[in-house]
Amino acid sequence: MDNLSAECHRANLKSQSLESRLSSNEKELSTLRNELTSVRVTLSQSEKSGKTAEMNLLLMDQQHERTISNLRSQLKKHKNDGEKIQELQHTVEEMREQVSEMEGLLKAKCEEIEDNDDKFIQ
């Protein structure tokens, strides 16, 4: 009987040890489940934030594309305006030369008229 009693005692100790380990494992499992739930919530929030950030980037990209397009149009207009200004400056320069030539001709004609008047008067 002593053997049986000792074996029963060992079996009880082993059973208590296994129950203690089971309880500890259940607590750890509960803790891990809570942690998993928390991680899933954090993941969901992160995914929502990521999608929001992605949408914002898409909107900003579209706005930047419109801005770049507008700036390119303005640059093209300014280039065209610059070309027109150069053409006008060239035309003004030609007209100045023509005015200068006409002034020279006018002076010469005035002198000729004065000479003719002087001759006529004499």
Side-chain angles (χ1 to χ4, degrees):
M1 260 288 211
D2 284 336
N3 268 347
L4 185 59
S5 188
E7 214 172 290
C8 279
H9 182 64
R10 274 183 279 171
N12 279 341
L13 287 176
K14 183 144 183 138
S15 176
Q16 287 175 354
S17 172
L18 289 174
E19 284 177 6
S20 173
R21 280 178 37 195
L22 178 62
S23 175
S24 174
N25 286 344
E26 285 175 346
K27 287 179 185 177
E28 185 177 352
L29 178 61
S30 176
T31 301
L32 289 174
R33 282 185 177 153
N34 288 338
E35 188 177 331
L36 178 60
T37 300
S38 174
V39 167
R40 283 182 176 156
V41 167
T42 303
L43 174 62
S44 176
Q45 291 170 345
S46 295
E47 286 175 342
K48 286 179 185 176
S49 295
K51 287 179 182 179
T52 300
E54 187 177 345
M55 183 59 72
N56 287 337
L57 284 174
L58 180 62
L59 292 173
M60 285 173 47
D61 182 51
Q62 291 173 349
Q63 179 61 38
H64 288 154
E65 288 298 323
R66 284 191 296 269
T67 302
I68 288 171
S69 177
N70 288 339
L71 289 172
R72 284 186 177 141
S73 295
Q74 289 177 8
L75 180 60
K76 186 176 181 180
K77 182 184 177 300
H78 289 307
K79 283 183 180 179
N80 289 339
D81 289 347
E83 290 172 1
K84 288 178 184 176
I85 288 171
Q86 286 179 345
E87 289 172 10
L88 289 172
Q89 287 173 337
H90 180 71
T91 302
V92 166
E93 186 59 35
E94 286 177 351
M95 293 177 95
R96 283 184 180 155
E97 288 174 6
Q98 288 176 356
V99 166
S100 179
E101 286 176 17
M102 291 176 138
E103 284 178 347
L105 291 173
L106 184 60
K107 253 186 193 178
K109 197 60 158 173
C110 284
E111 287 175 8
E112 182 183 332
I113 290 172
E114 285 178 9
D115 287 344
N116 286 339
D117 283 349
D118 289 343
K119 288 180 186 177
F120 182 72
I121 292 176
Q122 292 175 353

